[in-house]
């Protein structure tokens, strides 16, 4: 048995951690499991990557099967990390179409969570660039799924949180790029309304995201910095600049759990004031940023999840449909700022239509917040959830550790169809995670 | 004819073997992967080709089958520029204490086979007047411990072999490196209790092997901390050492 947890370090669960090294060993693991799920690099925040009784670690499957430099098409094993793909193929002129806020996620995990990036509003999620998946189902079958072959299973696997089976391999399309640089433009917004208008105005930008100061209150509520970005062409680089500078290992590491004292309303307020002012000073013009700090600002601090102390933290990410979003997001931010133990910075961005049956994105605005685990946080987040549900929104499963069944069911109307597909693939219900157990498995152990 | 340099990785299916192949391929070397099950190496060869555009071949090699060694060397399409042996077997000390076959397998896998095959390549390299040979030994060979002296003694023999070979081969322009990894997170050590700060990932060892070739280093402790640890352990008087639970 091993104590494992997601990136948020809550909850911590005792399960058998299996580490197969061949596809045959994956078969054996599935055959032997009494409720297990595949786990990639453990970057899902909550309990999505934890099996009920067994957890099947997939990081040993890190081989690239084939790569066609003419088309950017790549076939690879599910345990390959996005960081590995970026380091290997970036210098050869190819990057993933979609990257989340950390590059240390596996391909299998990125498919299972249908991760989104700063370009979801115009280019969709990770799953959109997946052409084929090799899947080992709970009944031990190996099936190839794509938009043509087993399309229902394909749509259920994109964003299906690993519950349709173990993803073994995938074929993806990579994006041809001339450089590893982003031309970034920063816009400062004095309140939430201005931030949302700036994001709307940035709809045509490939990348857009807003960092909200969620400590600011009153007329400053929702003040933010909006970052728009485009891939820089080779001709835009200054002379002598390297077209692709390699990603560095985190320069700063958090070696121990910080005492919960470190994060308080004064330190966070001071930090955010500084962050906002420095950003606002850069607003207006555009400049070049390497893809690494642009896409993965937090990867620069290794083990940043330890900042929240031993008890861990919860991330709350909701999406609110466009209509009425201003009022609902304003209400949420107001409660968060009054509560005072909010995250350093909240992230606000626009999403487009999701591709998978259970994909998180829907057209609207998504807000992501971090909270340290404390005694009163669960009730507080339940309150926020009621606002989300009333607005017709939903929560992101890759970051969830605590939402209620009712919240989940209200947010994911395709759940019934998903359950049917899952039942047909896995009649004896071998593939189960702590998340599925919490949110929708009928069979309780 | 391509002019890329070639590295032969003996023990290519191990985690350190795969990592070593990647370190060389990333720098533009062609790779010959050798292991007991050549077919099982195909996905790794494909991986190296897809990632780095180099060519990678697979070869059957069984370290216990010493009779096949001459044929193995003769059967390679090209004599490599570098050969590195990552072959090894940790085995079980407890079993080896009672079971002569198991003890023999540990000794032969860690000493006899690796030493003999590298010795053969040394002859070829000396005849050519160039080349680099890297053997992966172990800090366990620096001093025998109650908990793994069968494995440790075989690694000690291998280290001594490499050191002697180095003295001889250096006069003929051939480099011999000894790499001592310490604790590495691999399938061999899965489930073992490893000391975090003294433990490295397989890729760190792969890069260290590549570095040993580039810089023609004699002896490499992959984590510098191990050099200090073993310095202290080697210095302990036998009367003290035998009383330690270690």
């Amino acid at each position: 048995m091993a104590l494992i947890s997601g990136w948020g370090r809550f909850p911590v669960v005792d399960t058998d951690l299996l580490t197969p090294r061949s596809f045959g060993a994956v078969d054996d693991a599935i055959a032997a499991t009494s409720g297990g799920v595949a786990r990639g690099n453990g970057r899902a925040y909550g309990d999505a990557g934890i099996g009920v009784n067994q957890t099947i670690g997939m990081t040993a499957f890190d081989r690239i099967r084939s790569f066609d430099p003419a088309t950017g098409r790549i076939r690879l094993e599910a345990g390959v990390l996005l960081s590995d793909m970026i380091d290997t193929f970036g210098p050869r002129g190819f990057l993933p179409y979609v990257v989340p806020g950390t590059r240390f996620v596996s391909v299998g995990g990125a498919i299972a969570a249908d991760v989104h990036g700063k370009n979801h509003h115009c280019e969709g999620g990770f799953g959109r660039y997946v052409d084929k998946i090799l899947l080992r189902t709970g009944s031990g079958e190996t099936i190839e799924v794509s938009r043509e072959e087993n399309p229902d299973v394909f749509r259920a696997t994109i964003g299906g949180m690993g519950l349709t089976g173990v993803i073994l391999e995938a074929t993806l399309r990579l994006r041809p790029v001339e450089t590893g640089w982003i031309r970034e433009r920063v816009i400062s917004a004095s309140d939430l309304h201005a931030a949302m208008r700036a994001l709307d105005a940035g709809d045509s930008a490939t990348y857009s995201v807003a960092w909200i100061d969620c400590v600011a209150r009153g007329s400053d509520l929702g003040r933010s910095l909006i970052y728009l970005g485009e891939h820089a062409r080779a001709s835009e680089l200054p002379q002598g600049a390297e077209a692709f500078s390699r990603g560095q290992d985190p320069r700063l590491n958090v070696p121990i759990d910080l005492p919960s004292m470190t994060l308080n309303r004064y330190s966070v307020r001071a930090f955010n004031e500084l962050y906002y002012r420095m950003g606002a000073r850069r607003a207006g013009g555009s400049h070049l940023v390497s893809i690494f700090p642009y896409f993965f600002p937090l990867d620069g601090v290794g083990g940043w999840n330890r900042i929240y102390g031993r008890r861990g933290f919860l991330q709350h990410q909701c999406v609110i449909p466009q209509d009425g979003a201003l009022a609902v997001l304003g209400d949420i931010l107001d409660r968060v700022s009054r509560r005072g133990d909010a995250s350093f910075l909240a992230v606000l961005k626009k999403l487009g239509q999701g591709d998978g049956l259970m994909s998180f994105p829907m057209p609207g605005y998504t807000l992501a917040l971090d909270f340290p685990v404390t005694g009163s946080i669960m009730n507080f987040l339940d309150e926020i959830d009621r606002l989300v549900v009333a607005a017709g929104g939903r929560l992101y499963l890759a970051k969830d550790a605590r939402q209620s069944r009712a919240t989940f069911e209200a947010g994911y109307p395709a759940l019934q169809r998903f359950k049917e597909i899952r039942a047909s693939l896995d009649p004896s219900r071998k593939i189960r995670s702590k998340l599925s157990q919490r949110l929708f498995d009928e069979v309780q152990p | 004819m391509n002019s890329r340099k070639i590295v032969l990785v003996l023990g290519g299916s191990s985690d350190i073997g795969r990592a070593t192949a990647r370190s060389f391929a990333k720098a533009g070397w062609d790779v010959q992967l050798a292991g007991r099950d050549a077919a099982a190496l195909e996905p790794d060869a494909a991986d190296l080709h897809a990632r780095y555009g180099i060519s990678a071949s697979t070869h059957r090699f069984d370290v216990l089958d010493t009779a096949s060694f001459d044929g193995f060397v003769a059967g390679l399409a090209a004599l490599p520029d570098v050969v590195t042996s990552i072959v090894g077997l940790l085995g079980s000390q407890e079993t080896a204490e009672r079971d002569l076959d198991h003890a023999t397998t540990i000794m032969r896998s860690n000493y006899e086979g690796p030493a003999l095959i590298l010795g053969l390549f040394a002859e070829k390299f000396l005849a050519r007047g160039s080349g680099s040979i890297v053997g992966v030994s172990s800090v366990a060979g620096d001093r025998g411990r109650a908990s793994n002296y069968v494995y440790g003694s075989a690694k000690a023999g291998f280290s001594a072999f490499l050191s002697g070979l180095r003295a001889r081969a250096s006069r003929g322009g051939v480099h011999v490196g000894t790499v001592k990894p310490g604790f590495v997170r691999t399938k061999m050590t899965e489930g073992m209790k490893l000391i975090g700060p003294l433990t490295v990932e397989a890729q760190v060892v792969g890069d260290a092997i590549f570095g040993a070739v580039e810089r023609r280093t004699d002896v490499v402790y992959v984590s510098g901390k191990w050099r200090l640890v073993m310095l202290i352990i080697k210095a302990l008087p036998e009367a003290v050492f035998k009383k330690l639970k270690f």
Side-chain angles (χ1 to χ4, degrees):
Chain A
M1 301 294 272
L3 290 174
I4 58 172
S5 65
W7 182 244
R9 307 173 82 207
F10 175 89
V12 180
V13 179
D14 206 357
T15 85
D16 287 332
L17 185 58
L18 311 174
T19 49
R21 285 173 182 276
S22 66
F23 287 170
V26 174
D27 290 344
D28 296 343
I30 294 175
T33 187
S34 54
V37 77
R39 177 185 178 88
N41 205 32
R43 293 295 167 128
Y45 284 65
D47 52 6
I50 307 175
V52 173
N53 298 312
Q54 286 86 20
T55 303
I56 307 171
M58 295 294 288
T59 48
F61 298 97
D62 67 347
R63 295 180 190 83
I64 314 271
R65 295 307 188 113
S66 63
F67 173 67
D68 181 352
T71 61
R73 187 169 298 245
I74 187 169
R75 188 160 74 92
L76 33 59
E77 293 179 347
V80 175
L81 302 187
L82 297 194
S83 58
D84 192 8
M85 273 164 78
I86 293 166
D87 291 346
T88 305
F89 296 103
R92 295 173 73 176
F94 289 95
L95 291 174
Y97 267 95
V98 171
V99 293
T102 170
R103 64 192 195 275
F104 300 117
V105 297
S106 67
V107 167
I111 294 170
D114 190 18
V115 297
H116 56 271
K118 298 174 171 72
N119 55 340
H120 196 277
H121 60 286
C122 55
E123 296 185 320
F126 196 87
R128 191 169 293 182
Y129 305 93
V130 175
D131 287 340
K132 210 183 278 182
I133 297 168
L134 189 68
L135 189 71
R136 202 76 108 220
T137 68
S139 52
E141 262 188 298
T142 304
I143 53 175
E144 249 186 359
V145 302
S146 66
R147 287 176 187 80
E148 296 77 38
E149 223 177 327
N150 298 306
D152 281 358
V153 182
F154 182 76
R155 283 230 308 146
T157 302
I158 305 288
M161 304 315 291
L163 295 166
T164 58
V166 176
I167 298 170
L168 300 175
E169 281 185 14
T171 305
L172 321 172
R173 277 162 286 146
L174 298 183
R175 176 204 298 274
V177 291
E178 288 184 21
T179 75
W181 297 86
I182 299 291
R183 178 163 291 288
E184 178 189 70
R185 204 149 58 83
V186 186
I187 299 164
S188 74
S190 56
D191 61 20
L192 182 63
H193 189 213
M196 290 169 73
R197 268 194 325 212
L199 282 177
D200 290 342
D203 262 348
S204 58
T206 305
Y207 299 104
S208 75
V209 65
W211 293 91
I212 295 192
D213 171 0
C214 52
V215 183
R217 296 166 65 169
S219 61
D220 283 343
L221 187 76
R223 73 170 178 180
S224 24
L225 297 167
I226 291 91
Y227 295 85
L228 306 179
E230 300 294 339
H231 284 279
R233 307 188 68 93
S235 58
E236 293 177 72
L237 296 189
Q239 273 211 320
E242 260 190 280
F244 195 93
S245 59
R246 274 181 193 285
Q248 285 169 333
D249 288 332
R251 263 157 303 182
L252 205 63
N253 264 298
V254 180
I256 51 157
D257 302 323
L258 294 181
S260 48
M261 280 280 292
T262 319
L263 281 190
N264 57 50
R265 63 177 68 216
Y266 306 104
S267 66
V268 171
R269 195 179 295 274
F271 173 86
N272 285 14
E273 190 66 40
L274 193 70
Y275 187 88
Y276 181 76
R277 287 193 184 182
M278 285 176 65
R281 233 189 305 160
R282 286 192 302 156
S286 73
H287 53 272
L288 292 172
V289 203
S290 155
I291 55 166
F292 293 100
Y294 185 79
F295 289 126
F296 316 114
L298 287 169
D299 285 351
V301 185
W304 65 264
N305 54 344
R306 306 184 80 153
I307 288 172
Y308 287 95
R310 189 169 286 279
R311 294 176 69 184
F313 70 102
L314 296 165
Q315 175 140 126
H316 189 274
Q317 183 166 3
C318 63
V319 56
I320 307 287
Q322 193 106 14
D323 287 343
L326 177 61
V328 179
L329 290 172
D331 192 356
I332 294 175
L333 280 175
D334 187 46
R335 289 169 194 245
V336 167
S337 72
R338 273 188 283 133
R339 186 178 151 89
D341 72 343
S343 41
F344 258 43
L345 291 165
V347 178
L348 179 72
K349 73 166 271 65
K350 283 186 86 171
L351 295 178
Q353 187 59 50
D355 293 284
L357 215 48
M358 299 290 284
S359 288
F360 164 67
M362 62 162 83
Y365 297 87
T366 177
L367 176 68
L369 303 157
D370 295 334
F371 298 90
V373 175
T374 57
S376 63
I377 189 66
M378 299 297 175
N379 288 337
F380 177 75
L381 292 178
D382 287 345
E383 268 175 49
I384 304 278
D385 287 357
R386 280 193 277 279
L387 302 176
V388 172
V389 168
R394 60 168 72 134
L395 301 187
Y396 189 14
L397 296 178
K399 295 184 171 176
D400 180 43
R402 47 139 298 273
Q403 72 174 298
S404 67
R405 285 191 174 216
T407 301
F408 171 67
E409 283 165 5
Y412 286 85
L415 175 61
Q416 200 46 45
R417 180 74 194 111
F418 180 73
K419 281 183 181 174
E420 287 161 19
I421 292 169
R422 203 172 149 227
S424 72
L425 295 168
D426 183 15
S428 54
R429 211 45 93 69
K430 285 188 171 287
I431 307 290
R432 278 186 293 146
S433 62
K434 293 305 279 186
L435 180 131
S436 75
Q437 185 186 38
R438 179 167 57 86
L439 293 179
F440 57 89
D441 284 348
E442 285 101 21
V443 191
Q444 295 292 335
Chain B
M1 262 317 264
N2 77 52
S3 58
R4 282 196 294 256
K5 287 190 276 189
I6 304 169
V7 60
L8 164 64
V9 180
L10 301 168
S13 63
S14 68
D15 290 335
I16 296 177
R18 291 175 58 198
T20 304
R22 282 189 186 173
S23 298
F24 281 85
K26 195 175 183 177
W29 292 54
D30 283 340
V31 179
Q32 298 168 335
L33 286 175
R36 252 181 313 186
D37 183 353
L41 294 168
E42 290 296 342
D44 291 310
D47 174 76
L48 294 170
H49 175 70
R51 282 171 185 266
Y52 307 113
I54 55 96
S55 57
S57 54
T58 62
H59 308 268
R60 198 190 117 69
F61 173 75
D62 181 351
V63 78
L64 295 173
D65 184 9
T66 52
S68 71
F69 285 6
D70 280 313
F72 172 78
V73 177
L76 293 172
L79 185 66
D81 298 277
V82 171
V83 55
T84 173
S85 169
I86 288 124
V87 180
L89 172 70
L90 187 59
S92 155
Q93 166 72 25
E94 240 181 78
T95 310
E97 286 160 12
R98 290 172 275 107
D99 178 347
L100 292 191
D101 279 346
H102 187 60
T104 306
T105 305
I106 295 175
M107 291 171 177
R108 294 189 60 212
S109 302
N110 291 298
Y111 172 50
E112 182 196 70
L116 291 179
I117 190 71
L118 293 187
L120 270 183
F121 277 104
E123 295 314 300
K124 299 274 181 195
F125 286 6
L126 283 167
R128 183 176 61 190
S130 72
S132 191
I133 293 167
V134 179
V136 173
S137 188
S138 171
V139 296
D142 285 4
R143 189 161 195 179
R145 293 163 52 196
S147 59
N148 71 350
Y149 60 84
V150 177
Y151 171 81
S153 65
K155 286 295 192 187
F158 187 43
S159 290
F161 180 90
L162 291 169
S163 128
L165 182 64
R166 167 159 50 246
R168 172 175 161 243
S170 65
R171 291 164 210 151
V174 173
H175 159 247
V176 177
T178 307
V179 171
K180 300 183 180 181
F183 296 146
V184 189
R185 228 166 266 118
T186 64
K187 58 190 159 198
M188 182 167 106
T189 59
E190 207 158 78
M192 285 170 56
K193 281 215 161 60
L194 305 174
I195 304 167
L198 288 174
T199 305
V200 296
E201 300 297 330
Q203 196 57 56
V204 175
V205 184
D207 291 344
I209 291 171
F210 180 69
V213 168
E214 288 277 282
R215 292 186 285 276
R216 296 176 84 81
T217 325
D218 295 334
V219 180
V220 179
Y221 283 83
V222 172
S223 161
K225 293 165 193 155
W226 275 107
R227 188 183 289 277
L228 183 66
V229 169
M230 295 319 295
L231 199 70
I232 296 164
I233 288 175
K234 280 191 285 189
L236 289 173
E238 200 71 14
V240 176
F241 188 71
K242 71 183 182 191
K243 291 197 180 108
L244 293 180
K245 273 240 156 63
F246 192 60

